[in-house]
Amino acid sequence: MNRLVSLVSRARVRWLATPAALLLASTAASAQEVVDRWGPTPPASTYGPRFDSLFSLITTLIGISFLIVLVMLLVPCLRDNAKKGKKAHFDHGTSLHDKRFTAVVSVVVFIVLDAWVLVRAMGDLREAYWNVPAPDTPGIFKVEVLAQQWAWNFRTPGVDGELGTPDDVITINELTVPIGRPVVFNLTSKDVIHSLFLPDMRLKRDANPGAINVAWFEAAKSGDFDILCAELCGYAHYQMHGKLHVLPEADFPAWEKDASALALAAYDANDTEARWAWDWKE
Amino acid sequence: MTARPLLLVTAALALVAPGFATPGDETAAGHDAGNAAEHSEPELPPHSRAPHQVDVTVHDDAWLLVNDYDTFGELAEADPERFEFVEGLLEPKDESGEVIDTYDGYRDKTGRVELRYDPEAEDVAYFERVSAERLTRGHENYIQYCASCHGLEGDGYGRSAQHLRPPPRDFRVGKFKFTKVGVENLPSDQALVDLVKKGLDGTPMYPWALTEGQLLDVIQYIKSLSPPESGWRDVYAVVKGPVDIGEDPWTNDVQGAVARGEIVYHNVGCFNCHPGYVTPARIDEIVTGEGGIAKGSYREDLTLPKIVPNTMYQVQGYKTSILPPDFTWHSIRAGRDRQGNLSALEIARTVGSGIAGSGMPQWKGSMPDKDIWAIGYYVRHLIETYHGKPQARAALMSELRGGN
Amino acid sequence: MATAVELQREDPRARVNATLGMVFFIGSWSMAFGTLFLSYFILRQRVGIWPPPGIALPSFPMAAAATLVLLLSSVVLHRAVARVRRGAPGAAALWAAATAIGVLFAGMQAWLWYDLVLSGRTVESGAYESLFFGLTWVHAAHVACGLVALLWMQVGLLTGRYGVHRISPVSNAAMFWHFVDVVWVVLFVAFFVL
Amino acid sequence: MSGDHIHPEPTSFLRKHVFSVDHKVIAKQFMWFGLFWLLIGGIMAMLIRWQLAYPGTPMPVFGKLFFSSTGGVIDPASYNTLFTMHGTIMIFLGLTPLMIGCFGNWCIPLMIGARDMIFPLLNMLSFWTVMLGGAVAFYSLFVPLGGSEAGWTGYPTLSTTVANQGTGETLWAVAVFLIGASSIMGGINYMTTVIRLRAPGMRWTDLPLTIWGLFFTAVLNVLFLPVIGSAMILLVLDRVFGTQFYVPASIMAGGGGGDPILYQHLFWIFGHPEVYILILPAWGIVSDLLSFFARKPAFAYRVTVGAMMAVTVLSAVVYGHHMFTTGLSAMLGESFMLLTMIISVPGEILFFNWLHTIWRGSLRMDTPMLFALSVIFVFGLGGLTGLYLATISTDIYLHDTYFVVGHFHLTMAASALFATFGAIYFWFPKMFGRKLNETLGKIHFWGSLVPLTIVFCTMFVSGYAGMPRRYYDHTSADYLKPLQHLNVTTSLAAFTLGIAQLVFAFNFIKSRWWGEKASENPWEVGTLEWTLPTPVPHYNFKEIPNVVCGPHEFSNPAIPDGKDWIYQTEPLAEQPA
């Protein structure tokens, strides 16, 4: 590292430091504004902030890395232009010093850029994204998702809390869930591969035909959010979206009661073909 | 035709595997059936028949009722080279062969149009020989956009239609629910284009981003699937545009329209199938106020919609019943204009025309147009105030249920 | 375009080049068949019970016989190449024998297919049939290519175009045939033994 | 059979220019072929960008040309075909032929001192196979139901007859198969040539880095193209013969048992190495160009080669990072995440070696150098943003958004394309005896770099905001509507980028026939091809050269006559310590 620093100073490019510092400061100052204006909607699930904080960490790390690359790229470009009678510095880069330098930089890069992020990501996955509650966990809200060209079919248990019964609430492109309860999905598809994408919840999971995938989130905010398909599924892929309604705790029981009542009113015992529900996968 | 361009690569395979490359469909089906019987699996719905490539080429022209143009006279004037006016062009005969009527008409010198010009008819229709190329184009777009639900054969058994309620239309019946042309009438091309352009809310029938030209092609293809008795091949049938409910009488008085709508809705008994949105006492008040005789008691579950027997939906072999919508809960199918905004006009047209194949009758003629408009406004008001607004809806419901 | 001198005696460097190219080719093709076998094992694992119960299977005796026949043809071919290499007489006759045995194998393969189709299983019947027909078709395409190569070499050996003076095409064709043989053995083990 | 003999030059037009076995002619054939498809793929990109910026609006000029039946509007089906074929064409028919077909053929024999490729006939066959593949791909656009619509990845069951009944998809699979076969032929040829036909005295460490890049690419081609070939065979069998490799039992009565995820595994076992197939030659070329134009030896040559080798090996074991949302087991997912992140180490080593190569050099800012330098910039941007996607917990959100699109375009498209442009500017004088115009070249460079950066960086922003890729119309979702003006910005920059390529096309055509005549070694570079006269004779080297020197001995004090460069055939005054 000393060598690098001395190279930079020896190269009389200290004038670069001022604009660089200014740039860095203004970037940091405007970062929040940029995210507010251009970034994703604020996280609405309990684990959503994990994405945002890891994203910022990676942005910082690679921002610094890229700045170093940029400086090392620009300095020779501005300084070392070919001049008559001036030869380049002859160096094959095979000295022990160079090898050590390369090794040190590699280790530093691996630890700072990779290992750090890796450890954070593993933590996030195990504690949040992949920590799907088992189907028999009390208090979870189960949702069966049957994707099709080009719509989302949702089935939620209704007041009896069990799937596969006449009071199940079956909706197309609309899903209503309570706040503060883990919502656990079982996803599959009738035809092609789809992908359930809840941008506000920072959740995405493929729905594959012939297999069941699991995913979960817990809403931290009530309101209406978007449901999108993130895997190309044909011509109307772009239209395959729905709405996720997250209801406050106070409103949800009443909603669920009405929904079940209406589901029972619509239930037709003779129409066996309309049934779908499955054994739950953990 | 599907394998034709593949010969280069598959020739080797086909050569070393004679007889296996294209086993007959019957053999394959036979094995499948045998297999299923052996394991005594339940009979699978036709949604999941074996995937296969299809031939999109339509080989024969079809004579179909078409009205691409605003009026037929317009077309004839625009292209005088092609048409000539003939008096007594058509002379329909009854079974004994006696001429029962005479129609004047334009004759298409190119032989592609056989037509009837009826000055009495509001909508001008003519019977055109739709070319096989045009049907093929329509078939292509049909396969791409429609077949996943409506089926490769147009029978409503698309692969994605499994478990879907309400089930997709069976085009081999040739009837359409939301064209708004009246229960008995055949919809004009424009009415069908409108339906596809706007889509049906709450179903996978989206507003499709096809151009008008593509849609017209698809629509001709879909018509060509319909049975003879549906009328699309009947020279003397008439196609209709959306039902005419006149100018909006309420433009300056939306409040009044909603108030009047509430009265009409509960007076004529919409709550027999749909929910009632006022208390029974208020219904009595309304009925009496309109000069009727109050019943005093109404069905217990007045706040819920109710399946009535004649709403059984039994075309194409599905036996399913469809719940009339609760406007504060369900999304209604065809209440939007082309811009995607809820429109009193569209709702009123649905009320006026009824919904073919369901329990919703045609109200045009049973009440003044002004009242039909009022219902349109009232339903729009219900949707805007309560749909997707759980708190507002809960408040209304607790009021209706007497605090429960 | 080679000169007459080159026709008569092959540069030993060129022989190594040709062999090396063939080795790379076979390495590459092993990946192709490896992919097919990977698919086989993944699907097999997904189906669970293998072979699926209650379906007609291809005839084991016939497949075993075909395997022996193909191995025999490889052995004969190997001896033929050794003779070509030594310049010993009778190479062309042995080569012809190997080719004929190869054709016999192709016939047995066809019998396997017909037998299965007669018992009602076609390529469309399910995962097992898809795999069996699909993989053996791809293999059979290579058998066909191998037979064409063998016949070509046969003509070359008879006319004297190939021989001790120009051996790399001959040894390459034989190497390809051995490869096809090995693939079949793996196929046989996968479908009939495991 | 082998390329180390002098063969007489063919005289008939067909043998000389069409069915030639001369590697130089084949290289030029590949170049024209690749440039043609680059144009087609580029036009497709413009159409896509038009639709994304102004959804459902009739496109001027091109709309009338290609979409006359809809009045110039791109309908969803055509849009799906456009982005599918744009990807397929750019990867398989644009960059692969240019980078590997053209420069592989051009550079390998000339730079290692051979008279031709080791299997010239196979070489010719390789070109005509890719030609056939291109023809099939082109034809697939005009069959009923249109071309392939399942994305360049062609995931089943969307690509099977479950959801796609057209012949176009089948033809697409056949085309990919043929192109793969062509690449395998090329790869076998390149590997064997580099191993067997190096000039006497040329050790492995005397090879220019370009050759190393091409060699590793050839290895990857030979190993992994067969995988996609097999996957495509299975897809064609599924589509045409009714097998059920990719059709699960749940969507088929009385049959099935296949697995759509199987295809994803097979595809990405090939697909991830494919990324490196495109980028490794670019790395090689850039490493050489930086050294050539900085007049400095390539920094830590052996380490660079080692890093490239490490990437080659790693590329085979990281493919799972494309499938983080499909439902990989936790253990597999975490392993793939770790392995993917390890790639950043060789990547970082390459960057430091490049930056060290130009540090304290004597930089000649000719157009090839500008493109080489810009590769550091765009690959830096693209490579570093890969970290977001290697990390599963961020990838869950970013997967299949425009973030991914920006990332892979910067890494495998922009970097490979800029390296290719650098290579074209660099070897053009030896290929055609004339120099490409420098002024136009610089206009082309800046006209490409600036809009390209805008195009793909705005994609990062919109992807971060959650804009999914492969959407016909983003305004269909409410929360994406505010991003529409970003799409417009991206598209306007893309159109500028497209127009800048017209400058290149003009420059290319003009300089090819009417350009300034170039000297035999205009760049003063010592690798073997510059020892040859221009035009290069049919047999390349009258006498096979004897190599005594490495490729990058620039500014070596031991070079006689006060020059700063030396031919690889010339001895240094004394060996450097």
Side-chain angles (χ1 to χ4, degrees):
Chain A
M1 243 16 225
N2 273 341
R3 184 161 177 261
L4 187 71
V5 171
S6 66
L7 277 175
V8 170
S9 54
R10 204 187 313 151
R12 293 190 301 274
V13 287
R14 260 170 281 183
W15 57 269
L16 263 178
T18 316
L22 274 174
L23 192 73
L24 210 64
S26 63
T27 309
S30 58
Q32 194 51 46
E33 200 183 318
V34 167
V35 170
D36 288 348
R37 193 189 152 114
W38 302 105
T41 46
S45 62
T46 49
Y47 60 52
R50 287 169 182 264
F51 165 81
D52 294 59
S53 88
L54 189 55
F55 192 94
S56 322
L57 172 69
I58 298 178
T59 310
T60 315
L61 292 177
I62 70 168
I64 292 167
S65 314
F66 191 64
L67 211 64
I68 294 172
V69 169
L70 216 54
V71 169
M72 286 186 68
L73 179 67
L74 283 178
V75 169
C77 287
L78 299 173
R79 183 191 64 183
D80 297 337
N81 270 318
K83 289 184 199 79
K84 265 224 163 77
K86 181 178 164 272
K87 270 193 183 179
H89 173 74
F90 177 71
D91 177 16
H92 268 294
T94 46
S95 68
L96 189 62
H97 180 85
D98 290 327
K99 283 174 185 156
R100 277 192 197 143
F101 182 73
T102 307
V104 167
V105 173
S106 302
V107 171
V108 169
V109 163
F110 183 75
I111 291 174
V112 174
L113 229 55
D114 295 344
W116 188 359
V117 175
L118 190 75
V119 169
R120 283 280 304 268
M122 296 273 227
D124 285 354
L125 291 172
R126 289 184 180 163
E127 291 156 22
Y129 299 98
W130 284 347
N131 189 21
V132 186
D136 51 1
T137 315
I140 63 166
F141 187 74
K142 296 191 206 174
V143 184
E144 286 184 1
V145 184
L146 181 61
Q148 71 168 85
Q149 279 181 331
W150 293 278
W152 298 102
N153 298 274
F154 296 105
R155 172 183 283 265
T156 52
V159 277
D160 67 353
E162 267 179 59
L163 286 159
T165 51
D167 78 336
D168 286 0
V169 181
I170 303 168
T171 48
I172 294 175
N173 289 341
E174 300 232 16
L175 175 62
T176 309
V177 301
I179 199 172
R181 272 169 74 187
V183 178
V184 183
F185 291 109
N186 258 3
L187 305 116
T188 190
S189 163
K190 290 180 194 175
D191 35 43
V192 304
I193 298 171
H194 303 272
S195 192
L196 181 77
F197 181 26
L198 309 175
D200 307 272
M201 306 297 164
R202 312 289 189 255
L203 169 76
K204 188 180 289 142
R205 196 65 160 168
D206 286 5
N208 300 316
I212 292 171
N213 258 346
V214 290
W216 79 287
F217 75 93
E218 184 184 322
K221 254 185 211 174
S222 60
D224 293 350
F225 305 101
D226 284 278
I227 301 173
L228 287 94
C229 178
E231 181 66 60
L232 176 65
C233 59
Y235 308 101
H237 169 49
Y238 71 105
Q239 277 174 313
M240 183 175 165
H241 39 67
K243 281 279 172 212
L244 173 70
H245 309 288
V246 178
L247 293 188
E249 272 160 281
D251 293 348
F252 188 74
W255 183 91
E256 197 176 34
K257 198 167 146 245
D258 279 4
S260 277
L262 281 158
L264 277 172
Y267 183 75
D268 180 353
N270 299 320
D271 188 8
T272 47
E273 209 276 323
R275 308 285 158 72
W276 53 276
W278 50 76
D279 292 335
W280 263 57
K281 191 191 160 188
E282 290 196 28
Chain B
M1 85 112 231
T2 47
R4 186 186 54 207
L6 292 167
L7 284 178
L8 280 173
V9 165
T10 51
L13 283 180
L15 281 176
V16 294
F20 308 111
T22 49
D25 285 340
E26 288 167 40
T27 356
H31 292 316
D32 289 344
N35 194 19
E38 210 168 294
H39 301 289
S40 65
E41 285 163 4
E43 200 181 319
L44 286 154
H47 299 110
S48 50
R49 53 194 113 170
H52 59 285
Q53 296 199 1
V54 293
D55 187 350
V56 293
T57 317
V58 177
H59 296 284
D60 297 319
D61 296 357
W63 288 96
L64 294 170
L65 273 174
V66 169
N67 68 342
D68 285 337
Y69 305 91
D70 285 349
T71 67
F72 179 68
E74 213 172 81
L75 171 72
E77 277 163 30
D79 197 356
E81 298 285 301
R82 188 173 154 192
F83 299 101
E84 57 185 347
F85 189 78
V86 181
E87 280 182 35
L89 177 70
L90 291 179
E91 295 184 326
K93 297 173 177 123
D94 65 8
E95 279 167 20
S96 61
E98 200 162 311
V99 176
I100 51 169
D101 206 347
T102 307
Y103 290 112
D104 298 342
Y106 289 91
R107 174 179 289 133
D108 174 28
K109 298 180 208 163
T110 60
R112 297 194 352 103
V113 177
E114 196 171 297
L115 49 98
R116 175 183 52 71
Y117 173 66
D118 181 0
E120 305 289 313
E122 287 171 16
D123 296 279
V124 186
Y126 63 101
F127 198 58
E128 177 167 331
R129 190 182 185 96
V130 180
S131 69
E133 295 86 68
R134 188 170 176 204
L135 290 174
T136 302
R137 283 204 305 276
H139 192 194
E140 277 196 38
N141 282 321
Y142 175 85
I143 295 284
Q144 289 176 322
Y145 299 97
C146 319
S148 64
C149 286
H150 293 284
L152 289 173
E153 280 81 36
D155 51 7
Y157 284 109
R159 196 170 301 275
S160 315
Q162 270 186 82
H163 320 306
L164 196 62
R165 289 296 176 272
R169 280 274 109 179
D170 177 356
F171 292 133
R172 295 172 315 176
V173 177
K175 290 199 188 305
F176 305 95
K177 277 167 85 177
F178 290 101
T179 50
K180 308 189 179 178
V181 296
V183 180
E184 299 294 321
N185 298 326
L186 293 177
S188 68
D189 282 4
Q190 207 48 50
L192 288 168
V193 166
D194 250 35
L195 192 155
V196 186
K197 280 251 162 193
K198 290 176 196 158
L200 300 175
D201 274 14
T203 75
M205 181 77 192
Y206 291 120
W208 296 99
L210 277 81
T211 61
E212 201 108 348
Q214 287 176 308
L215 281 179
L216 287 168
D217 291 348
V218 177
I219 283 164
Q220 304 320 323
Y221 173 72
I222 288 172
K223 284 186 204 163
S224 77
L225 299 172
S226 63
E229 65 273 16
S230 66
W232 292 110
R233 288 176 184 72
D234 181 358
V235 195
Y236 311 110
V238 181
V239 296
K240 291 278 191 189
V243 67
D244 180 15
I245 50 168
E247 287 287 304
D248 182 357
W250 300 98
T251 32
N252 299 320
D253 187 15
V254 176
Q255 292 290 325
V258 172
R260 175 67 193 157
E262 184 180 285
I263 291 169
V264 179
Y265 181 96
H266 295 96
N267 184 40
V268 300
C270 297
F271 55 79
N272 285 328
C273 304
H274 300 277
Y277 296 104
V278 294
T279 54
R282 170 88 181 120
I283 297 181
D284 284 346
E285 203 179 298
I286 287 171
V287 174
T288 325
E290 289 293 301
I293 301 155
K295 272 165 73 183
S297 72
Y298 301 92
R299 60 188 175 98
E300 267 180 30
D301 49 356
L302 192 59
T303 54
L304 287 178
K306 190 175 168 62
I307 297 176
V308 277
N310 68 347
T311 63
M312 285 296 278
Y313 179 95
Q314 288 192 335
V315 281
Q316 81 209 50
Y318 284 111
K319 285 197 169 50
T320 182
S321 24
I322 293 175
L323 195 69
D326 173 348
F327 303 107
T328 63
W329 186 274
H330 303 106
S331 47
I332 60 166
R333 302 285 172 254
R336 292 180 191 279
D337 59 19
R338 277 214 184 177
Q339 283 72 46
N341 304 317
L342 265 180
S343 142
L345 167 67
E346 292 299 331
I347 300 169
R349 272 184 178 162
T350 312
V351 176
S353 66
I355 296 167
S358 80
M360 178 76 181
Q362 178 172 336
W363 288 98
K364 164 93 184 165
S366 311
M367 63 170 89
D369 287 352
K370 198 174 174 186
D371 284 354
I372 296 181
W373 272 99
I375 293 187
Y377 275 102
Y378 177 59
V379 169
R380 191 183 76 173
H381 161 79
L382 284 176
I383 295 170
E384 281 173 348
T385 319
Y386 302 110
H387 181 68
K389 297 186 174 59
Q391 277 138 350
R393 184 177 184 277
L396 173 74
M397 286 297 146
S398 83
E399 185 196 325
L400 294 182
R401 290 169 190 152
N404 289 327
Chain C
M1 206 187 292
T3 61
V5 181
E6 280 171 78
L7 249 186
Q8 279 175 10
R9 186 149 290 281
E10 196 175 20
D11 180 357
R13 254 179 75 84
R15 192 188 296 170
V16 178
N17 293 349
T19 311
L20 193 62
M22 194 66 197
V23 167
F24 288 152
F25 172 75
I26 285 176
S28 178
W29 241 232
S30 311
M31 285 295 285
F33 278 103
T35 306
L36 296 180
F37 287 122
L38 178 71
S39 313
Y40 169 84
F41 284 109
I42 288 180
L43 291 188
R44 174 177 173 148
Q45 195 223 348
R46 258 186 78 90
V47 171
I49 306 162
W50 194 266
I55 63 165
L57 296 177
S59 151
F60 176 79
M62 190 48 134
T67 311
L68 292 176
V69 163
L70 197 56
L71 283 173
L72 179 68
S73 104
S74 251
V75 171
V76 175
L77 200 64
H78 186 71
R79 311 278 316 236
V81 173
R83 287 203 177 192
V84 176
R85 194 162 278 143
R86 289 201 311 273
L94 264 183
W95 191 277
T99 313
I101 303 173
V103 174
L104 177 62
F105 167 80
M108 295 167 91
Q109 168 77 78
W111 189 91
L112 273 175
W113 289 330
Y114 269 113
D115 183 47
L116 203 56
V117 170
L118 285 181
S119 58
R121 313 304 301 172
T122 69
V123 67
E124 296 185 347
S125 304
Y128 183 90
E129 291 80 359
S130 293
L131 282 166
F132 182 77
F133 281 108
L135 266 59
T136 49
W137 281 351
V138 176
H139 178 257
H142 289 79
V143 171
C145 294
L147 285 176
V148 169
L150 291 189
L151 284 172
W152 188 319
M153 294 304 127
Q154 182 79 61
V155 174
L157 284 173
L158 290 174
T159 57
R161 185 173 155 81
Y162 307 127
V164 66
H165 54 278
R166 187 144 184 239
I167 196 166
S168 54
V170 176
S171 63
N172 277 355
M175 207 194 292
F176 181 73
W177 189 254
H178 294 321
F179 170 68
V180 170
D181 191 351
V182 170
V183 171
W184 174 261
V185 171
V186 180
L187 263 176
F188 175 74
V189 170
F191 276 98
F192 295 96
V193 180
L194 290 179
Chain D
M1 185 88 203
S2 63
D4 51 357
H5 300 286
I6 292 183
H7 303 291
E9 187 170 10
T11 46
S12 81
F13 179 79
L14 268 186
R15 296 293 295 173
K16 197 172 169 184
H17 295 294
V18 183
F19 296 105
S20 172
V21 292
D22 181 359
H23 74 101
K24 298 182 291 296
V25 179
I26 295 174
K28 287 173 192 168
Q29 286 175 324
F30 267 116
M31 179 182 255
W32 288 109
F33 180 81
L35 287 174
F36 167 76
W37 280 107
L38 218 52
L39 178 71
I40 303 277
I43 291 174
M44 286 179 161
M46 298 298 119
L47 294 172
I48 293 169
R49 283 312 324 174
W50 175 270
Q51 168 61 28
L52 288 177
Y54 311 107
T57 323
M59 175 149 192
V61 191
F62 288 114
K64 287 275 180 303
L65 220 59
F66 301 130
F67 305 101
S68 53
S69 66
T70 56
V73 177
I74 303 170
D75 58 323
S78 309
Y79 178 77
N80 283 14
T81 304
L82 277 178
F83 68 68
T84 301
M85 293 312 281
H86 166 74
T88 310
I89 285 171
M90 285 306 203
I91 290 167
F92 291 113
L93 295 166
L95 282 174
T96 305
L98 266 179
M99 183 129 246
I100 305 166
C102 169
F103 288 105
N105 262 309
W106 178 260
C107 295
I108 289 178
L110 290 180
M111 286 180 116
I112 66 172
R115 292 212 163 104
D116 200 338
M117 280 287 173
I118 198 159
F119 307 122
L121 192 66
L122 190 67
N123 206 8
M124 180 189 90
L125 211 59
S126 163
F127 174 72
W128 286 102
T129 312
V130 81
M131 193 79 173
L132 186 63
V136 173
F138 198 70
Y139 175 58
S140 82
L141 294 171
F142 303 101
V143 297
L145 290 176
S148 164
E149 283 132 349
W152 87 276
T153 47
Y155 277 6
T157 47
L158 185 61
S159 59
T160 63
T161 42
V162 167
N164 188 330
Q165 276 74 24
T167 322
E169 188 71 38
T170 317
L171 291 174
W172 170 83
V174 171
V176 171
F177 179 87
L178 288 172
I179 297 160
S182 153
S183 286
I184 294 169
M185 293 180 205
I188 290 171
N189 222 338
Y190 295 177
M191 277 170 76
T192 324
T193 306
V194 173
I195 291 172
R196 297 290 298 168
L197 292 191
R198 275 169 293 127
M202 182 172 256
R203 295 165 301 168
W204 282 95
T205 47
D206 291 332
L207 287 174
L209 288 163
T210 305
I211 303 300
W212 271 112
L214 287 163
F215 180 75
F216 288 132
T217 284
V219 173
L220 287 178
N221 264 333
V222 165
L223 284 178
F224 292 108
L225 264 303
V227 178
I228 189 76
S230 288
M232 288 302 149
I233 287 178
L234 298 187
L235 184 60
V236 169
L237 288 175
D238 266 12
R239 292 186 61 84
V240 180
F241 297 101
T243 55
Q244 292 124 31
F245 292 104
Y246 303 137
V247 183
S250 68
I251 54 178
M252 209 193 130
D259 185 1
I261 307 302
L262 167 67
Y263 177 92
Q264 293 189 19
H265 283 285
L266 301 186
F267 186 86
W268 290 116
I269 287 175
F270 146 80
H272 198 75
E274 173 67 25
V275 174
Y276 293 99
I277 285 171
L278 291 178
I279 200 65
L280 276 164
W283 286 350
I285 289 169
V286 166
S287 306
D288 269 350
L289 289 184
L290 289 175
S291 159
F292 293 164
F293 286 88
R295 318 305 290 171
K296 255 189 88 193
F299 188 86
Y301 175 99
R302 283 160 187 259
V303 180
T304 305
V305 173
M308 281 173 21
M309 192 186 292
V311 169
T312 308
V313 174
L314 279 173
S315 75
V317 292
V318 300
Y319 76 89
H321 63 226
H322 296 266
M323 298 167 62
F324 284 153
T325 61
T326 48
L328 285 179
S329 73
M331 196 212 39
L332 271 180
E334 286 175 358
S335 320
F336 278 124
M337 172 161 69
L338 173 67
L339 286 164
T340 306
M341 286 184 169
I342 289 176
I343 286 194
S344 68
V345 172
E348 158 270 317
I349 291 174
L350 276 172
F351 268 93
F352 269 84
N353 288 352
W354 290 338
L355 294 168
H356 260 118
T357 302
I358 55 171
W359 194 263
R360 297 177 69 198
S362 168
L363 271 63
R364 298 185 179 177
M365 289 296 187
D366 296 305
T367 317
M369 181 60 164
L370 289 178
F371 275 107
L373 288 169
S374 72
V375 169
I376 301 183
F377 176 75
V378 293
F379 195 77
L381 264 180
L384 284 168
T385 47
L387 189 55
Y388 295 106
L389 304 172
T391 310
I392 300 181
S393 56
T394 43
D395 180 67
I396 288 176
Y397 175 80
L398 296 171
H399 180 82
D400 260 326
T401 62
Y402 262 81
F403 199 92
V404 178
V405 179
H407 162 73
F408 75 70
H409 273 98
L410 279 173
T411 47
M412 71 188 262
S415 307
L417 193 66
F418 277 11
T420 308
F421 279 136
I424 292 176
Y425 281 94
F426 181 69
W427 278 293
F428 198 85
K430 190 50 73 182
M431 283 178 132
F432 299 110
R434 291 165 195 275
K435 266 183 99 165
L436 282 163
N437 184 301
E438 273 290 311
T439 315
L440 287 176
K442 277 173 183 149
I443 294 174
H444 173 218
F445 169 74
W446 290 109
S448 299
L449 181 66
V450 175
L452 183 134
T453 312
I454 297 173
V455 169
F456 298 121
C457 287
T458 48
M459 283 188 185
F460 285 133
V461 177
S462 46
Y464 177 46
M467 188 166 97
R469 65 194 278 213
R470 291 168 170 172
Y471 266 31
Y472 170 72
D473 178 0
H474 289 97
T475 57
S476 65
D478 292 339
Y479 87 109
L480 294 173
K481 278 179 188 150
L483 293 170
Q484 194 52 26
H485 58 282
L486 255 185
N487 274 327
V488 175
T489 314
T490 312
S491 293
L492 293 180
F495 299 149
T496 320
L497 178 63
I499 290 166
Q501 305 320 303
L502 297 181
V503 177
F504 171 73
F506 173 75
N507 193 4
F508 191 92
I509 301 287
K510 181 177 164 285
S511 305
R512 165 69 185 81
W513 281 284
W514 302 282
E516 173 202 346
K517 285 239 159 71
S519 64
E520 286 183 357
N521 189 358
W523 312 112
E524 300 185 315
V525 165
T527 47
L528 292 177
E529 77 271 30
W530 303 105
T531 62
L532 295 169
T534 314
V536 181
H538 176 65
Y539 44 81
N540 297 352
F541 297 92
K542 196 158 194 175
E543 279 170 24
I544 299 287
N546 192 29
V547 175
V548 293
C549 185
H552 305 124
E553 292 297 339
F554 291 98
S555 307
N556 191 333
I559 296 173
D561 309 333
K563 289 192 301 182
D564 68 347
W565 61 283
I566 187 168
Y567 282 122
Q568 279 192 274
T569 49
E570 288 176 327
L572 291 165
E574 56 189 63
Q575 288 300 318

